[in-house]
Amino acid sequence: MESSGFARSTTDADLWRLATDGDREAFGELFERHAGAIYNFCFRRLADWTIAEDLTSAVFLEAWRRRSDVRLAHDSALPWLYGVAANLIRNHRRGGRRALRALTRVSTERSTGPDPADDVAARLDDERRMREVLGRLAMLRDAEQDAFVLCVWQGLSYREAAVALGVPVGTVRSRLSRARARLRLGTEQDEDASEASSAERDGSGVR
Amino acid sequence: MNDLLPPKERELEPARLAAMKRLILDRVVAERPVRRRRRRLVALVLVPAAVIGAAAGYAATRGRTAEQVADMVTCYQSPSLSAPAIGFPSAVEQDLASACRNAWTSGALAWPVPGPAPSAWVACSGPAGGVAVFPGGDSHTCDGLHLGPLPADYAAAVARFSALRDDMSAQFPDGSCANRSDAETQRGPFSTPMGSAHGASLPPASATPRRARP
């Protein structure tokens, strides 16, 4: 990919200021820095690599559209971009998928690794596995899921997650705490059910 | 809780990443720069013209309808358009004061957090569309910044805008857009209450600034 020519030491805040002034290359640099994180975040919320790619483009188009409304208070633009992504994911779930694809579809054919079949199979495995994991998270409220995914999987601090979600730090902390408690309870109940089931099987074998 | 481990992260392939970047930059290139263009104007335009422009801008801002400010909310750190600010999409039944307090206490508005979040906020029509929300209970804030008041039917306009956004998302077919005549054949002539810059008949904005609920 062509390099945008910005030093790594150029902060996101500097790039954002340039982008606000209409500097496309600065915005391109922000894209290169954060597209991967947004891509994986979108996948982890939706379990679909293709939609994750579409959403990644949509996140940056939305960020550009709102560039003059936002002044970064921190060095990294990533928490705010996560917030944009979380909003678009919610819209997507409410039925915006078709419009999203029309908006962002990149026409380039996918160039996969050495063996395309292996890559496709691996991605399908990922999606199946991710759906299972999200099935476990389904017991949480959406807001708790967001806090869990951002803090536990994406590695954001409470403060960064608060920026992403537009809520106070204390709210992130309590949502995450509730999420962990619910998940722990769910796991224990599953284990109890599993033990009861195997005990029943053992019992019926004796009979 | 090992069953909560997601699959390992994947990188976007370089070719895909480059294609996505091109798509995004192609989309944004058509837009004009925001501040740079403004600066050029400031440098070139004479004072009388600037005065006329400012008057026209003031009139335009004051005349904004609820529909024109229903899409975005921008919270400011102080009652000044040059203060640090953060914007986000509007939402149905969103309490503007609560939303801005959250932005304040989370550090999204300014970091480090500049003290306790103000309890009172004033909402005005934003300088470039959307709603601008400022801390403080001064009912003259909007006038002082040459901004119009929050239109009286703002909440209803947000609800309409949100419904329109959802409806459009559901209506557009995958990968293509309908042309106007096809769309009108399918949906009837365009006469939505959302209006446009080209002149749907919309109720005038209220002349009274409204204070955001604390």
Side-chain angles (χ1 to χ4, degrees):
Chain A
M1 180 161 53
E2 68 269 32
S3 166
S4 47
F6 288 97
R8 296 304 297 177
S9 57
T10 308
T11 65
D12 281 7
D14 291 336
L15 291 170
W16 198 269
R17 273 190 289 277
L18 292 167
T20 304
D21 279 351
D23 187 328
R24 295 170 62 238
E25 292 308 318
F27 193 70
E29 173 69 15
L30 284 167
F31 174 78
E32 285 183 29
R33 285 186 184 184
H34 300 305
I38 297 297
Y39 175 56
N40 281 285
F41 172 67
C42 292
F43 172 74
R44 287 173 168 182
R45 300 300 281 119
L46 294 166
D48 187 316
W49 287 115
T50 305
I51 295 174
E53 192 178 288
D54 291 343
L55 268 170
T56 301
S57 297
V59 165
F60 283 88
L61 287 170
E62 178 69 4
W64 174 265
R65 193 178 73 80
R66 290 165 53 187
R67 68 194 183 282
S68 56
D69 296 321
V70 177
R71 266 156 257 179
L72 288 186
H74 312 284
D75 275 348
S76 175
L78 191 54
W80 185 74
L81 290 169
Y82 275 134
V84 175
N87 281 334
L88 289 181
I89 287 166
R90 269 190 288 277
N91 286 343
H92 169 80
R93 285 180 171 147
R94 287 202 299 260
R97 175 175 179 164
R98 288 178 168 184
L100 172 73
R101 290 191 167 198
L103 178 73
T104 59
R105 175 52 50 86
V106 180
S107 60
T108 324
E109 291 297 319
R110 278 185 170 70
S111 64
T112 51
D115 186 342
D118 284 350
D119 187 78
V120 169
R123 284 172 182 273
L124 288 174
D125 277 349
D126 282 354
E127 292 178 354
R128 181 189 48 75
R129 169 72 189 141
M130 197 67 235
R131 279 194 297 273
E132 288 172 6
V133 175
L134 289 178
R136 304 282 302 166
L137 288 196
M139 68 177 73
L140 307 180
R141 295 191 178 98
D142 272 355
E144 293 166 354
Q145 289 187 28
D146 280 337
F148 182 86
V149 173
L150 287 171
C151 294
V152 178
W153 290 347
Q154 302 305 116
L156 263 61
S157 67
Y158 289 146
R159 183 168 69 77
E160 289 170 328
V163 171
L165 299 174
V167 298
V169 174
T171 304
V172 173
R173 207 184 294 272
S174 58
R175 284 180 185 172
L176 190 59
S177 171
R178 274 199 305 272
R180 284 186 162 134
R182 282 176 201 259
L183 290 169
R184 203 173 298 120
L185 186 64
T187 305
E188 285 167 4
Q189 284 173 345
D190 283 354
E191 285 170 0
D192 289 348
S194 171
E195 281 171 17
S197 166
S198 56
E200 200 172 293
R201 273 199 308 274
D202 292 347
S204 60
V206 170
R207 216 177 294 149
Chain B
M1 287 198 270
N2 282 341
D3 55 346
L4 287 173
L5 288 178
K8 66 177 170 51
E9 293 198 341
R10 283 181 180 272
E11 289 186 6
L12 278 158
E13 298 157 24
R16 295 295 297 166
L17 191 62
M20 290 165 68
K21 183 179 171 187
R22 270 198 304 278
L23 169 109
I24 289 164
L25 296 187
D26 284 351
R27 293 274 173 101
V28 304
V29 73
E31 291 188 34
R32 288 174 155 189
V34 182
R35 284 188 193 162
R36 187 173 294 165
R37 182 166 157 261
R38 244 181 241 152
R39 282 183 195 141
R40 277 191 206 128
L41 282 173
V42 170
L44 295 173
V45 175
L46 299 174
V47 170
V51 171
I52 292 166
Y58 177 67
T61 303
R62 288 195 67 85
R64 281 191 204 293
T65 63
E67 265 64 32
Q68 289 170 322
V69 301
D71 63 333
M72 283 285 300
V73 176
T74 304
C75 306
Y76 289 81
Q77 189 189 345
S78 61
S80 161
L81 290 171
S82 57
I86 186 162
F88 43 85
S90 60
V92 177
E93 295 182 2
Q94 180 179 48
D95 183 296
L96 295 174
S98 293
C100 289
R101 272 200 300 274
N102 285 340
W104 182 292
T105 53
S106 69
L109 188 48
W111 187 263
V113 176
S119 57
W121 296 76
V122 175
C124 314
S125 293
V131 171
V133 188
F134 304 94
D138 183 355
S139 60
H140 299 295
T141 300
C142 300
D143 276 344
L145 296 169
H146 305 299
L147 298 175
L150 187 69
D153 51 346
Y154 169 73
V158 170
R160 286 195 294 272
F161 180 77
S162 178
L164 176 74
R165 190 168 48 200
D166 291 348
D167 186 44
M168 287 182 73
S169 296
Q171 292 293 329
F172 278 109
D174 197 358
S176 65
C177 293
N179 62 38
R180 182 173 181 131
S181 63
D182 288 348
E184 287 188 333
T185 304
Q186 195 179 358
R187 301 274 295 156
F190 292 146
S191 58
T192 70
M194 291 306 301
S196 73
H198 304 296
S201 57
L202 295 165
S206 162
T208 312
R210 283 204 323 182
R211 189 177 297 183
R213 272 187 292 154

